């Protein structure tokens, strides 16, 4: 009986080791992901794994998950305009990795590629584009500015094999002095419109009074 128990323990140990080896050689790829394999002897393998269950060589190969979904990111930046006004901008950027360049992205940037690249290149592009406009133009030509930022950022991101799907300015705020000046200008314009209305109304009333007086004299 004792010998039988010893043999059973040995078989259980072998099965346990075998089961661990099998588990270590399997990995899953979920939807919206791809896996890049790193081989200790050959480096990054040329093909990324699609969704499903796959095999690797334990202790020789390691699996690294790459998120390929379109992801939103809010990036704040403080920069100066052409007329030297400081402005705070928040840009919403939708981006994803180039599926055909996952191995290159992993080799150069790792799996947190957007964290390493997007903030720096977005700030770089924002500073370059905003410096081409006066503060007031950022308000009156907001769509044009957004389009220029999108085109420049798309080109810049391509250097890192990232694809920009969309760019939008979600927040635009100037310094206190400029904001106060804009507010005063708006108030002055409203006052001018009100004065213009009063003058126009008085002129209409004067003409109406003349017409009435002429009618009565007849």
């Amino acid at each position: 009986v004792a010998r039988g128990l010893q043999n059973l323990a040995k078989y259980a140990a072998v099965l346990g080791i075998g089961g661990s080896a099998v588990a270590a050689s399997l990995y899953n790829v979920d939807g919206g992901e791809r896996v890049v394999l790193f081989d200790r002897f050959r480096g990054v393998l040329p093909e990324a794994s699609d969704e499903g269950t796959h095999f690797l060589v334990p202790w020789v190969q390691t699996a690294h998950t790459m998120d390929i979904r379109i992801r939103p990111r809010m990036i704040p930046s403080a920069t100066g305009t052409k007329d030297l006004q400081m402005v705070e901008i928040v840009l919403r950027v939708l981006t994803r990795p180039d599926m055909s360049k996952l191995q290159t992205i992993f080799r150069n940037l790792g799996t947190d590629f957007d964290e390493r690249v997007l903030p720096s290149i977005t700030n770089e592009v924002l500073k370059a584009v905003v410096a081409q406009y006066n503060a007031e133009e950022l308000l009156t030509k907001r769509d044009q500015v957004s389009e220029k930022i999108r085109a420049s950022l798309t080109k810049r991101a391509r250097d890192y094999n990232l694809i920009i799907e969309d760019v939008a300015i979600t927040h635009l705020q100037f310094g206190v002095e400029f904001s106060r000046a804009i507010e005063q200008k708006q108030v002055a314009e409203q006052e001018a419109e009100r004065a213009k209305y009063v003058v126009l109304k008085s002129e209409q009333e004067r003409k109406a009074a003349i017409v009435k007086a002429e009618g009565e004299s007849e």
Side-chain angles (χ1 to χ4, degrees), residues 67-69 95-99 102 105 113 161-163:
D67 191 338
I68 61 170
R69 295 169 295 184
T95 184
R96 63 179 175 85
D98 185 339
M99 292 277 289
L102 292 179
I105 295 173
F113 46 87
N161 301 302
L162 301 181
I163 297 173

Side-chain angles (χ1 to χ4, degrees), residues 6 15 52 188:
Q6 289 178 350
L15 289 174

Side-chain angles (χ1 to χ4, degrees), residues 91 168 192:
L91 210 62

Side-chain angles (χ1 to χ4, degrees), residues 49-82:
S49 302
D50 295 333
E51 299 172 22
T53 300
H54 304 269
F55 292 91
L56 55 71
V57 180
W59 305 291
V60 174
Q61 297 175 336
T62 53
H64 302 271
T65 301
M66 307 281 285
D67 191 338
I68 61 170
R69 295 169 295 184
I70 296 174
R71 291 190 286 181
R73 188 178 182 87
M74 306 297 286
I75 302 176
S77 180
T79 186
T81 63
K82 188 177 181 179

Side-chain angles (χ1 to χ4, degrees), residues 137-193:
E137 288 178 325
L138 290 182
L139 298 174
T140 59
K141 300 179 179 180
R142 184 162 175 162
D143 291 341
Q144 179 182 323
V145 175
S146 292
E147 179 58 28
K148 202 161 190 175
I149 291 172
R150 187 197 65 77
S152 298
L153 188 57
T154 297
K155 182 178 180 181
R156 191 73 178 88
R158 267 296 178 189
D159 295 338
Y160 298 93
N161 301 302
L162 301 181
I163 297 173
I164 303 296
E165 294 289 349
D166 188 44
V167 173
I169 297 175
T170 60
H171 179 74
L172 187 66
Q173 183 175 342
F174 294 95
V176 176
E177 291 184 4
F178 182 78
S179 297
R180 187 181 296 117
I182 289 291
E183 186 177 326
Q184 290 173 349
K185 181 179 179 181
Q186 291 174 341
V187 170
E189 289 174 349
Q190 291 172 357
E191 291 294 337
E193 286 295 323

Side-chain angles (χ1 to χ4, degrees), residues 13-158:
V14 171
L15 289 174
I17 294 172
S20 297
V22 171
S25 66
L26 296 176
Y27 65 93
N28 291 318
V29 183
D30 296 329
E33 296 177 347
R34 293 293 183 271
V35 164
V36 173
L37 287 182
F38 177 79
D39 189 291
R40 293 180 185 276
F41 304 107
R42 293 180 291 166
V44 178
L45 299 187
E47 296 295 329
S49 302
D50 295 333
E51 299 172 22
T53 300
H54 304 269
F55 292 91
L56 55 71
V57 180
W59 305 291
V60 174
Q61 297 175 336
T62 53
H64 302 271
T65 301
M66 307 281 285
D67 191 338
I68 61 170
R69 295 169 295 184
I70 296 174
R71 291 190 286 181
R73 188 178 182 87
M74 306 297 286
I75 302 176
S77 180
T79 186
T81 63
K82 188 177 181 179
D83 53 348
L84 305 180
Q85 296 292 336
M86 290 304 298
V87 57
E88 293 182 3
I89 298 178
V90 177
L91 210 62
R92 181 179 64 89
V93 182
L94 298 181
T95 184
R96 63 179 175 85
D98 185 339
M99 292 277 289
S100 65
K101 302 291 185 180
L102 292 179
Q103 290 81 4
T104 302
I105 295 173
F106 174 75
R107 188 180 294 111
N108 295 335
L109 302 172
T111 57
D112 57 342
F113 46 87
D114 55 346
E115 176 68 30
R116 290 176 177 237
V117 170
L118 274 181
S120 61
I121 65 172
T122 300
N123 275 283
E124 173 189 318
V125 167
L126 277 172
K127 291 181 185 299
V129 173
V130 170
Q132 300 174 30
Y133 294 89
N134 293 328
E136 194 166 345
E137 288 178 325
L138 290 182
L139 298 174
T140 59
K141 300 179 179 180
R142 184 162 175 162
D143 291 341
Q144 179 182 323
V145 175
S146 292
E147 179 58 28
K148 202 161 190 175
I149 291 172
R150 187 197 65 77
S152 298
L153 188 57
T154 297
K155 182 178 180 181
R156 191 73 178 88
R158 267 296 178 189

